[in-house]
Amino acid sequence: MMQMAHEDIDVERIRRDFPILGTTMNGKPLIYLDSAATSQKPIQVIDAISNYYKEYNANIHRGIYQISERATSEYIESKEKLARFINAREMAEIVYTRNATESINVVALTWGNENVKKGDHILISDMEHHSNIVPWMLLAERKGATLDYIKLDGAKAELDVQNLGEQMAKKPKIVAVTQASNVLGTINDVKTVTKMAHEVGAKVLVDGAQSAPHMKVDVRDIDCDFFVLSGHKMLGPTGIGALYGKREILEATEPLLSGGDMIRSVHHHEHTWNDLPWKFEAGTSDIAGGIGLSAAIDYLNGVGMEKVRSHEKKLVRYVIERLSQVKGVQIFGLGQDGIDKRCGVVAFKLENIHPHDVAQIFDSEGIAIRAGHHCAMPLVTETLGEGALSRLSFYIYNTESEVDAAIAAIETVRRTFKV
Amino acid sequence: MDLYAEEIISHYEHPHNKGKMDNASISLHRDNPTCGDEMTIYLNVDKDGKVSDVKFEGSGCAISMASASMMTDFVKGKSLGEVESMGVKELVELIGIDPGPARLKCATLSLRAIKEATFIYEHKPMDSSTKSL
Ligand SMILES: Cc1ncc(COP(=O)(O)O)c(C=O)c1O
């Protein structure tokens, strides 16, 4: 038991770092169970951003003066940290964007436009977020290519292994899959998917929006060609996200936007691109965002990603155990025996009660949850055949007693609706 | 939690005017894709231009279904002109709760469907208050 306590994270100490967790909602202490939408921010991140503005606000890459040099080095340091965080080879492979969505769009609009041709196949899966569907749908429309979906298995929880093989046999040009589903919570074996894709000559983009914040990610081990994430889901500020791309691919790809900073030299009628990653970052960057993300990565490293993961696993095991005892509840995704392949997202449905009514009553109890199609309409409405689902999602600051409060709120819902 | 007033819950559990109508003067399907509420409205219009009967079918949250129940009660016997002049203010008075910005689309779904149906029935362009619902 002592050993266990040693491995656990000190949630109470962590909670003190998050000012918002001391506030109330509808007169009740805030219980935030919507971290899959966006995470809360520790004071260290908030301070890092405000210190930049208070102490060394200056543009980067150009000032020959002290505060500009400091801003530049802090910004570059944040990329180096992120490169280490996901085990990229070097900072040159980390392009900053606004969010995971923008990162995917950049790939579809640059690499995709250059390489996908009429009649080609683009392969995604049946558990993607709209962000990892629409840019590919548009690319397919532009090029006259076909968009295919890897189907889910019979339990509608995991990618269907047989169908995966069948889709790969069509030799897609690019395969874009999520590492962790924001609805089912399923963690996909993206390493195997990547290996299969490479065998048929496809490039691979992994959507890490729900994985990078919650587990150790190693892009070199996965061997994916592109990996995308959003800073705001991993304790960082909104407005900053990243695109990881293998150096040789980014080098061979033309940038989407052009202007200042991304250029080495400009003459009246010609130009040369700047080095990576700057070639893909036109104009003044979100400097404060990069600095905030840097502090967020420090925070996560301080906790330790293995511990983040084991804490969430513990909460998910507990919530599934409690939820499955509530009458009329249906849980989506893998069950208790699949906890190792489940991230901190649990979607459920309460018989005869619309998820918006569930979320509304949770709100009156001070509990923030998400209800709807979770920006995954093909999954929720077509594959699962549901109008909408309620979703609980967890992070390092959540506790078992918050799960208890959520279960109590479900009882309140049932009492209100007399079911 | 005053959104779930007794009256809302009771209309949700025992909706009025729910069901299909054969030979309707007009029927119209509308939905809120973001939350999954959907409904079909059936209107019968008599020769004096009054709503002689109205029904709805569909599924969704308590707010959307209860307001459809109350709204269909309310428009029965009204002239098309009276229906077309209704707005959010009248709806809020009718259902007796303030849905707030997050749930406004749920509350107004039936009003939107009914109003759009009357404009289509009369072959008139929709007015801006209906378009903005
Ligand atoms: C799996 C997945 N991919 C992509 C995104 C898009 O993230 P963002 O809106 O930050 O671009 C999300 C956000 O919910 C997500 O859950």
Side-chain angles (χ1 to χ4, degrees):
Chain A
M1 282 320 277
M2 281 304 286
Q3 192 97 38
M4 272 302 289
H6 223 77
E7 283 168 14
D8 281 354
I9 63 178
D10 187 346
V11 184
E12 284 318 311
R13 218 192 83 208
I14 287 173
R15 289 179 67 85
R16 285 198 291 277
D17 288 332
F18 289 77
I20 203 167
L21 298 180
T23 64
T24 59
M25 186 165 81
N26 290 319
K28 309 265 172 66
L30 174 67
I31 295 181
Y32 189 73
L33 301 180
D34 196 19
S35 292
T38 195
S39 73
Q40 294 303 344
K41 322 300 173 199
I43 191 69
Q44 289 84 344
V45 168
I46 301 168
D47 283 348
I49 295 166
S50 72
N51 286 343
Y52 159 67
Y53 285 124
K54 285 192 284 198
E55 294 168 12
Y56 59 102
N57 174 55
N59 211 326
I60 53 174
H61 298 314
R62 39 192 112 174
I64 317 276
Y65 49 87
Q66 203 195 3
I67 57 172
S68 171
E69 281 165 10
R70 180 168 170 209
T72 306
S73 75
E74 297 271 351
Y75 187 71
I76 291 175
E77 171 68 17
S78 87
K79 288 206 180 198
E80 281 167 351
K81 267 185 213 162
L82 182 57
R84 285 193 294 275
F85 187 72
I86 61 171
N87 200 29
R89 285 157 210 84
E90 48 180 338
M91 181 269 273
E93 296 179 319
I94 305 291
V95 175
Y96 276 161
T97 60
R98 283 188 305 136
N99 47 42
T101 303
E102 184 172 303
S103 302
I104 297 168
N105 275 278
V106 167
V107 175
L109 290 165
T110 60
W111 186 91
N113 273 358
E114 287 176 35
N115 294 283
V116 173
K117 306 263 161 3
K118 191 171 163 56
D120 282 347
H121 286 263
I122 299 169
L123 182 58
I124 63 174
S125 91
D126 248 348
M127 58 167 93
E128 300 308 317
H129 186 280
H130 292 167
S131 299
N132 202 26
I133 301 175
V134 187
W136 305 118
M137 196 182 282
L138 297 186
L139 175 63
E141 283 170 12
R142 279 198 300 278
K143 298 292 180 172
T146 307
L147 180 64
D148 300 317
Y149 291 80
I150 306 163
K151 292 199 169 38
L152 301 192
D153 64 355
K156 298 205 163 69
E158 294 183 86
L159 298 181
D160 185 87
V161 180
Q162 195 188 333
N163 189 254
L164 176 62
E166 287 162 12
Q167 299 294 350
M168 288 291 182
K170 296 180 187 165
K171 297 199 190 315
K173 266 284 168 61
I174 181 150
V175 179
V177 283
T178 193
Q179 187 167 19
S181 159
N182 66 316
V183 177
L184 300 170
T186 308
I187 299 170
N188 290 316
D189 180 2
V190 288
K191 188 176 173 177
T192 299
V193 172
T194 302
K195 193 162 169 287
M196 292 171 77
H198 284 167
E199 277 163 11
V200 298
K203 293 280 182 277
V204 176
L205 178 143
V206 171
D207 178 355
Q210 295 296 346
S211 60
H214 303 281
M215 64 187 80
K216 183 91 199 84
V217 164
D218 184 335
V219 292
R220 271 191 276 177
D221 180 56
I222 298 169
D223 197 31
C224 53
D225 302 286
F226 303 103
F227 184 92
V228 306
L229 57 83
S230 282
H232 70 92
K233 293 188 199 280
M234 49 188 283
L235 310 182
T238 52
I240 189 112
L243 163 63
Y244 156 84
K246 283 182 181 166
R247 177 190 261 278
E248 58 274 21
I249 300 173
L250 293 182
E251 252 164 13
T253 306
E254 296 286 286
L256 178 63
L257 302 176
S258 58
D261 282 334
M262 51 79 68
I263 215 87
R264 181 191 314 286
S265 65
V266 184
H267 305 283
H268 278 101
H269 299 289
E270 58 197 79
H271 61 259
T272 50
W273 300 140
N274 199 346
D275 293 335
L276 287 174
W278 315 113
K279 173 177 123 179
F280 285 95
E281 291 183 34
T284 299
S285 307
D286 184 356
I287 304 166
I291 289 167
L293 181 57
S294 186
I297 294 170
D298 285 342
Y299 196 95
L300 287 171
N301 284 335
V303 176
M305 292 311 288
E306 277 81 14
K307 287 189 181 175
V308 171
R309 173 80 185 115
S310 62
H311 176 67
E312 291 177 18
K313 246 158 87 169
K314 195 177 76 180
L315 286 176
V316 168
R317 183 174 294 121
Y318 184 59
V319 77
I320 291 181
E321 179 191 315
R322 294 290 316 266
L323 264 182
S324 46
Q325 287 160 7
V326 181
K327 209 177 117 228
V329 164
Q330 182 188 349
I331 303 169
F332 294 83
L334 292 160
Q336 289 295 24
D337 52 348
I339 292 284
D340 286 338
K341 289 192 271 184
R342 228 182 193 290
C343 68
V345 164
V346 179
F348 68 97
K349 196 178 85 171
L350 205 47
E351 202 181 3
N352 293 326
I353 303 176
H354 192 280
H356 273 195
D357 295 322
V358 175
Q360 189 86 53
I361 289 174
F362 270 61
D363 167 61
S364 62
E365 299 292 317
I367 308 175
I369 66 165
R370 178 90 188 267
H373 53 55
H374 309 284
C375 295
M377 282 185 83
L379 169 64
V380 173
T381 59
E382 291 171 23
T383 305
L384 300 177
E386 300 291 338
L389 299 176
S390 303
R391 179 185 73 186
L392 311 173
S393 59
F394 303 97
Y395 213 178
I396 43 175
Y397 34 71
N398 292 121
T399 64
E400 292 193 350
S401 67
E402 290 180 317
V403 172
D404 292 335
I407 301 294
I410 293 178
E411 292 304 336
T412 307
V413 175
R414 298 188 52 209
R415 263 199 315 281
T416 308
F417 285 90
K418 308 185 188 81
V419 294
Chain B
M1 215 203 299
D2 37 15
L3 264 188
Y4 299 101
E6 220 24 73
E7 209 189 348
I8 295 282
I9 299 288
S10 124
H11 273 273
Y12 176 58
E13 287 179 335
H14 308 288
H16 304 179
N17 313 310
K18 193 148 184 203
K20 205 170 149 59
M21 190 196 291
D22 295 325
N23 312 318
S25 312
I26 183 158
S27 66
L28 191 66
H29 183 84
R30 285 292 176 262
D31 64 1
N32 285 326
T34 47
C35 47
D37 296 335
E38 54 91 22
M39 71 177 64
T40 304
I41 285 284
Y42 303 91
L43 290 180
N44 240 334
V45 183
D46 66 17
K47 58 182 189 318
D48 303 325
K50 282 205 164 72
V51 176
S52 56
D53 197 12
V54 51
K55 285 206 177 304
F56 78 99
E57 271 189 317
S59 65
C61 66
I63 308 296
S64 68
M65 293 295 122
S67 73
S69 171
M70 293 187 232
M71 183 55 70
T72 45
D73 271 351
F74 183 79
V75 300
K76 218 179 275 183
K78 296 274 185 305
S79 71
L80 294 179
E82 284 172 302
V83 173
E84 282 157 17
S85 69
M86 285 190 67
V88 173
K89 192 169 148 278
E90 289 77 15
L91 171 87
V92 168
E93 274 166 22
L94 177 71
I95 64 177
I97 54 160
D98 177 3
R103 303 301 293 281
L104 190 63
K105 289 275 172 208
C106 311
T108 54
L109 180 61
S110 52
L111 177 64
R112 171 160 70 103
I114 292 173
K115 286 186 71 178
E116 285 189 22
T118 61
F119 281 103
I120 294 169
Y121 176 75
E122 295 188 282
H123 302 289
K124 290 199 307 201
M126 241 182 280
D127 63 0
S128 59
S129 92
T130 308
K131 275 192 211 147
S132 69
L133 279 173

